[in-house]
Amino acid sequence: MTLGDSGWNAEIADREDPAGMGVFSLAGHRVEIRSYSRSAAQGWRVVITPDAWETGAPLAVEPFDIGAGTEILIDFPESWETALDGAAAHCALHYPLPVFLHGNVQPRADFLGGAIHVEQWEGCRIGVFSGLGNRPLDCPRINFHGLTVGCDFPIVSEADHHEPWSVKVDIVDSPALQLVLPARKEMVQNEALEALKIVAERTIFRAFAARESHRLSFASWRRANDLGVQMPEAAAWLEAWAPQTADGHGLPSGEPVVNEPMVLLDNYEPDIDQGAAQAFSNGSPLGRRPVRARGAFAGYSWYDALPRVAEIAFAIDTGDRIQRYADEDVLPPEFVSGRVDSITLDVTIELPDASDASQNHLLPVEALVCRNGGYGSLDEAVVLVSRTAAITPGTLAWLIDASCFSYDEDHDSDSWDTQHRAFEQAARHIANEILLGEEEALLERIRDAIADEIVWLIPAGRSISLIAGAGAVALSFLPEAASN
């Protein structure tokens, strides 16, 4: 018996990159081997006892009635026997030939099953999959005759989606693609594999090109052209602009805007966004639909032809001066929350057909919450309301919340709900004080405190009378008839 050797000639060894049967793993176990000898035109068998693996003692080879092939009988340890079904199923799943266990054929599945697009290349089948790029690099990407290994294939994503496309490869007959010996857990990094990666990327782009439209970034679209894959520009639509909030995570997504005049709007601070949204929500004051600017599409002809909002600023008229407030500005110390004569949104739009062409739009705004360099609190914020504004205290309180509130993740700052509830109360107090006056605002604050801390203590169906002042509080239950 010869272990660790084979009868593969050089041509087969180079073409098939064959592996042995792992017979070394049987050392120390009782093994019976039965095989048919073509040269002798008869069958034979040999029994290797557990102690015979290392002694070098001769083994008796005796005739056996077998007509073809080789059988290996192993005295299984219990741990092997319990794991056999799962191991056989795993090995057979993507193996190109039928595998039988206990006389039953094991289930097989196409390694590229569920692929969006499949192409053939130099003895390989390349399948494109959506979402595959989100998986770890060591997940099965290459099937080498039933043995699957990972590979860092290219990933291509559309600008609007979070499911990147990548590939899986089923090797049918490609001698240049080889596994690293002896473990065979990864591919040999050679020119053939690098060529496969380029072809894989080209295949992904051809899958995109086969669709009616795509949303690839301009850089990806240009890369596809460099690889010889011609496709039209990305579909010409953008998301409607929507104001972000101070406590938001990422930019809000609006509805797709297509086949109507658009103007690109970049990202600004939440207080600027919320102030501008008041003006933009009334009809179409800019003559175009504000859409969220997407730098990924810069370079496409349809995107570069769109006008862009170059600047947003607010002009605050206090009666004796006009103060400008824009992104990252801080108001002078003398500015405090309250009424002002007017607030005007000044929007500058750059037109793409001339480098010095621009438009200005002046739009009235009822209220403006200036974070004033602060973040997540009202300590530095200044809340301004136009004298002619019809805004309600509730709406103004919501505007303060959207412009300023940001959850403090410090473990000493309590939960989001507790922080937000306290902020809402403070915002309502500021709104009431500006719009209703100091006295009414104080009454609203007292009502809030009673509603939060006292009302729940009053028995169902009963009412109380409360008189408080001068450091004294008088409480009494009303008669039940009066309560009802």
Side-chain angles (χ1 to χ4, degrees), residues 117-169:
H117 180 82
V118 177
E119 292 187 7
Q120 307 278 344
W121 178 79
E122 296 190 3
C124 297
R125 298 170 61 235
I126 303 173
V128 179
F129 293 81
S130 174
L132 187 61
N134 288 326
R135 301 181 189 175
L137 290 178
D138 59 354
C139 81
R141 302 292 184 97
I142 293 180
N143 177 41
F144 194 91
H145 310 303
L147 176 61
T148 59
V149 297
C151 186
D152 56 339
F153 282 122
I155 295 171
V156 179
S157 300
E158 290 183 289
D160 304 315
H161 298 90
H162 302 290
E163 292 189 348
W165 289 21
S166 191
V167 303
K168 292 166 65 175
V169 174

Side-chain angles (χ1 to χ4, degrees), residues 220-270:
S220 293
W221 179 78
R222 188 167 53 186
R223 171 64 175 167
N225 277 267
D226 292 342
L227 292 174
V229 182
Q230 304 297 318
M231 66 177 78
E233 293 190 350
W237 62 266
L238 292 169
E239 293 175 341
W241 177 85
Q244 59 180 324
T245 63
D247 198 44
H249 298 284
L251 298 174
S253 299
E255 64 182 2
V257 179
V258 62
N259 295 331
E260 63 176 289
M262 293 181 278
V263 57
L264 300 174
L265 192 54
D266 286 309
N267 305 328
Y268 293 91
E269 290 295 319

Side-chain angles (χ1 to χ4, degrees), residues 48-60:
I48 309 174
T49 59
D51 59 346
W53 289 90
E54 298 181 359
T55 63
L59 300 173

